Amino acid sequence: MLKTRGLYFSYRPEGGTPFALAGIDLEIYRGQHTAIIGPSGSGKTTLLKHFNGLLGPTRGEVLVSGRTTSCTSQLPSIRRICAMIFQNPDNQLVATTVEEEIAFGLENYRVDPKKIREQVDWAMGKLNISHLAAYPPHLLSGGQKRKVAVASAIAMQPQCLLADEPSSMLDPDSRRELQELLRSLQRELGLTLLQVTHYLEEAALADRVLLLDRGRVTADGPPEKVLTDLGRLHAAGLTSSTAAELAALLREEGLALPAGIVQNQELVDSLCLLKPSG
Amino acid sequence: MLIETERLTHIYSPGTPWECWALEGITLSWKPGSFVLIAGPSGSGKSTLIQHFNGLLLPSSGRVLIDGEELGSDKAALGRIRRRLGLVFQIPEQQFFAETVFDEVAFAAANLGLSSAEVARRVKVSLERVGLDYEQFRGRSPFNLSAGQQRLVAIASLLPLELEALILDEPAAGLDSGGRRQLALLLADLRRQGMTVIVVSHHLGDFISLADQILFLERGRVVAAGEVEGVLRRLAQGYEPYLPPVTDIMRRLVLRGAGVSTAVFELAAAREEIVSWWGGNSG
Ligand SMILES: Nc1ncnc2c1ncn2[C@@H]1O[C@H](COP(=O)(O)OP(=O)(O)O)[C@@H](O)[C@H]1O
Ligand SMILES: Nc1ncnc2c1ncn2[C@@H]1O[C@H](COP(=O)(O)OP(=O)(O)O)[C@@H](O)[C@H]1O
Ligand SMILES: [Mg+2]
Ligand SMILES: [Mg+2]
């Protein structure tokens, strides 16, 4: 579905700054939910922007469903395949009502107005925001703005969603709600979901986790493996989830906990199951 | 800096279809040198509240008092307050204006009438305190940094001032775990120097070990306020997702009948508590 070959990228190719992406070879499969983690400045946003052609490689190649992003005539179709949800939703809002906002992308593609209406209504329904159709987007709460951004993206009926820290401004309840929503869209519509997150508890729900460090992929695998590789995470300046960190401390104390603990409840279940009865 | 409000109410767009009661009768009093966490669902009024502390917003009714002096429309008094109390916005980009990180951080210091060598020294120290390398970042545009780096620059730009109080609106959003740890260390340092620090955060866990006080809002009203332990006990009844992760693990253990304390927020303390329960006979 998405592929990079020998991808290098510099914001100033004439030199002076290190590569923001320094040799990335990746293949993301159709329908997969991949979480990208990494310290601030490691290149997560830069990588995501390569998959819908907002940025083009300095060296190497990026392929979206077999189309190269280096060919500008392919960009319109690539952007319909891969829809992006940006880090800061305010930068994405352009219209005066929620429904115009969601229709905006489709109008750019000169989709038939009747079809636009249908897809906008469908997207608002999916996100439970039909009641906000006539509301000015800039007066919405952070969580609601996020939902509008997701609705705008899925209204395009993309095959792939690129979500850049969609939950970083949200409270815990809205975060969980958004996470469940993205998951169900991914399952129901067969979407490929590529999501950047700083919350490793959230990354734990993905099929696959990529760790980015200084423009390179330094770990790639299922969450229970990448998120419990504390050595590598610490080397990148990150800590794992609280449960994974606490499990490691308890193992040092001689508690025989199983490997692969990432979530609070997993730790609690293991502790209660394994505690020697006194 | 003593920060107080009396029955503070704030109404946005009164008399329009979008009228919104963002704060309803909030009364609070925070002693100088306090470290306060403000939490609550989005839309609960956190950002609205803190913008009253430096007069960016004025009450619809009720009062805000800084060191006993009521904040009103007196421009000179507001100017004096803003030199003593710094505010870092939720979206730092909105407060940038300079072409380089150096100029951004130097701006406030230069306004104090310091020599250019002293300004440069303060800029270097400020950037290093937030964990940004001076040589690497001084010439960069603040607008072209990653979101986490932008937040650190916004904080650094206030450090050259000798502030008495610092208020940060969701400073941890967009920061990685290393950045959150670095920020907690910096805030601990400021607190040791006697600064009053107020942090809005959904994630109580990041700064809980520094806090004296928590204020938890919902729909413009106070759900719980006061010392940390009491507030966390209240949040454990219906607001569980807001608990610090360590406290949540302890709470889940207690639900399974384990004899551990829930008044634990840090990894090291949790390890001790669990090890002693594991070795003991109870539960
Ligand atoms: N528009 C830009 N111009 C120049 N450098 C940039 C720009 N955007 C990001 N960078 C730099 O590229 C690197 C990677 O940034 P980014 O992809 O935003 O990181 P992340 O999303 O992982 O925090 C960082 O060092 C950042 O400062
Ligand atoms: N400029 C504004 N105009 C109208 N309503 C606003 C404005 N800013 C915030 N609100 C509303 O006030 C309430 C509180 O918002 P805010 O203080 O931003 O909450 P929080 O920071 O806790 O997320 C919300 O319902 C929000 O929609
Ligand atoms: Mg980013
Ligand atoms: Mg806010």
Side-chain angles (χ1 to χ4, degrees):
Chain A
M1 167 93 230
L2 307 174
K3 205 165 178 172
T4 71
R5 280 202 214 115
L7 169 60
Y8 282 79
F9 177 80
S10 170
Y11 283 97
R12 275 191 252 161
E14 65 277 15
T17 46
F19 282 108
L21 299 177
I24 295 199
D25 290 278
L26 262 185
E27 179 150 15
I28 306 282
Y29 303 101
R30 190 172 300 279
Q32 201 174 41
H33 176 191
T34 305
I36 304 180
I37 61 173
S40 180
S42 60
K44 304 179 297 295
T45 298
T46 305
L47 178 61
L48 227 52
K49 286 180 172 169
H50 274 79
F51 288 125
N52 80 341
L54 276 176
L55 294 174
T58 303
R59 262 194 263 151
E61 196 176 30
V62 176
L63 298 167
V64 173
S65 287
R67 298 168 174 83
T68 169
T69 62
S70 305
C71 174
T72 41
S73 67
Q74 296 283 6
L75 287 181
S77 61
I78 284 173
R79 293 198 180 131
R80 286 207 73 172
I81 296 173
C82 284
M84 179 113 178
I85 301 168
F86 290 92
Q87 204 159 347
N88 177 0
D90 285 314
N91 295 348
Q92 210 173 354
L93 301 176
V94 290
T96 53
T97 69
V98 164
E99 57 188 343
E100 285 170 27
E101 181 66 46
I102 298 171
F104 180 76
L106 289 162
E107 279 162 2
N108 272 350
Y109 280 93
R110 300 172 210 283
V111 176
D112 165 44
K114 196 165 144 262
K115 184 93 175 101
I116 292 183
R117 181 77 265 157
E118 262 172 46
Q119 283 179 218
V120 169
D121 288 343
W122 170 81
M124 289 195 299
K126 272 269 168 267
L127 283 122
N128 270 325
I129 51 169
S130 305
H131 61 288
L132 297 175
Y135 211 83
H138 63 279
L139 291 186
L140 297 174
S141 75
Q144 289 168 330
K145 282 180 189 168
R146 273 295 169 206
K147 288 187 186 170
V148 173
V150 176
S152 309
I154 65 166
M156 306 286 292
Q157 302 194 318
Q159 296 169 30
C160 175
L161 269 187
L162 307 170
D164 197 358
E165 296 187 36
S167 55
S168 71
M169 295 284 188
L170 300 185
D171 64 56
D173 289 322
S174 327
R175 225 167 77 204
R176 196 170 40 189
E177 193 186 345
L178 179 69
Q179 206 54 49
E180 282 165 9
L181 185 92
L182 289 174
R183 280 296 274 181
S184 73
L185 289 172
Q186 180 234 345
R187 293 221 182 86
E188 204 178 309
L189 309 176
L191 280 175
T192 307
L193 177 59
L194 204 58
Q195 179 187 2
V196 175
T197 179
H198 281 308
Y199 294 97
L200 301 202
E201 285 86 353
E202 221 166 76
L205 304 173
D207 304 315
R208 175 180 178 189
V209 180
L210 298 173
L211 170 62
L212 237 61
D213 187 10
R214 277 161 286 183
R216 291 192 172 80
V217 175
T218 58
D220 177 359
E224 61 280 7
K225 227 173 104 221
V226 176
L227 301 178
T228 55
D229 187 348
L230 300 189
R232 245 183 247 265
L233 290 171
H234 294 177
L238 299 181
T239 46
S240 189
S241 69
T242 302
E245 296 284 344
L246 184 53
L249 291 178
L250 292 171
R251 284 189 204 102
E252 279 171 21
E253 297 284 339
L255 274 64
L257 294 170
I261 291 175
V262 183
Q263 305 278 12
N264 289 356
Q265 193 60 43
E266 293 170 346
L267 174 61
V268 167
D269 289 343
S270 299
L271 281 169
C272 292
L273 191 71
L274 295 170
K275 177 174 175 349
S277 51
Chain B
M1 181 178 280
L2 173 64
I3 298 178
E4 295 168 293
T5 68
E6 287 171 4
R7 293 185 303 284
L8 168 61
T9 293
H10 190 91
I11 308 169
Y12 286 108
S13 320
T16 73
W18 291 286
E19 176 171 302
C20 174
W21 288 59
L23 295 172
E24 288 191 59
I26 307 285
T27 297
L28 56 84
S29 171
W30 294 323
K31 291 199 290 281
S34 302
F35 195 112
V36 183
L37 288 178
I38 304 178
S42 59
S44 58
K46 305 181 295 295
S47 299
T48 303
L49 176 63
I50 59 172
Q51 290 176 70
H52 281 83
F53 298 147
N54 72 349
L56 278 178
L57 294 175
L58 293 173
S60 303
S61 67
R63 309 203 298 161
V64 176
L65 300 125
I66 304 292
D67 286 336
E69 190 185 347
E70 181 170 355
L71 282 192
S73 39
D74 177 357
K75 288 259 166 26
L78 285 181
R80 280 198 304 278
I81 292 293
R82 286 178 196 161
R83 271 193 293 281
R84 298 167 55 208
L85 179 150
L87 187 90
V88 180
F89 290 105
Q90 201 159 346
I91 298 166
E93 260 184 307
Q94 289 170 354
Q95 68 195 85
F96 291 152
F97 57 88
E99 286 182 12
T100 65
V101 167
F102 183 94
D103 289 344
E104 190 65 54
V105 179
F107 178 76
N111 269 359
L112 296 176
L114 303 169
S115 72
S116 57
E118 176 59 15
V119 169
R121 193 190 67 80
R122 290 203 187 184
V123 171
K124 186 163 191 286
V125 171
S126 302
L127 285 174
E128 276 161 10
R129 280 179 84 183
V130 299
L132 294 174
D133 183 74
Y134 178 70
E135 290 306 328
Q136 195 189 331
F137 284 94
R138 55 176 297 180
R140 301 268 311 263
S141 160
F143 296 96
N144 286 348
L145 301 173
S146 81
Q149 292 165 339
Q150 286 184 336
R151 197 169 295 279
L152 296 175
V153 170
I155 295 168
S157 70
L158 292 174
L159 296 181
L161 304 171
E162 265 126 28
L163 295 172
E164 291 167 52
L166 181 62
I167 304 180
L168 304 109
D169 199 352
E170 314 229 7
L175 289 190
D176 58 61
S177 49
R180 299 201 291 266
R181 229 176 319 126
Q182 172 106 28
L183 181 60
L185 289 175
L186 171 67
L187 297 182
D189 193 30
L190 296 176
R191 180 179 112 128
R192 252 194 311 279
Q193 294 164 18
M195 200 187 280
T196 303
V197 182
I198 299 174
V199 181
V200 174
S201 179
H202 295 311
H203 305 284
L204 290 174
D206 290 330
F207 309 106
I208 193 84
S209 52
L210 300 172
D212 310 304
Q213 295 267 323
I214 303 178
L215 173 69
F216 193 96
L217 298 174
E218 186 174 43
R219 277 183 245 116
R221 294 169 186 265
V222 176
V223 171
E227 297 196 349
V228 172
E229 265 194 58
V231 172
L232 293 186
R233 255 199 309 279
R234 171 71 188 87
L235 297 184
Q237 317 284 329
Y239 298 89
E240 295 86 347
Y242 290 86
L243 289 173
V246 170
T247 312
D248 183 56
I249 290 170
M250 305 313 271
R251 178 189 69 87
R252 288 170 192 257
L253 278 170
V254 169
L255 283 180
R256 296 283 297 267
V260 292
S261 161
T262 54
V264 172
F265 336 112
E266 288 180 86
L267 282 176
R271 173 181 58 187
E272 272 177 40
E273 190 69 22
I274 291 173
V275 165
S276 92
W277 159 70
W278 183 275
N281 292 327
S282 59

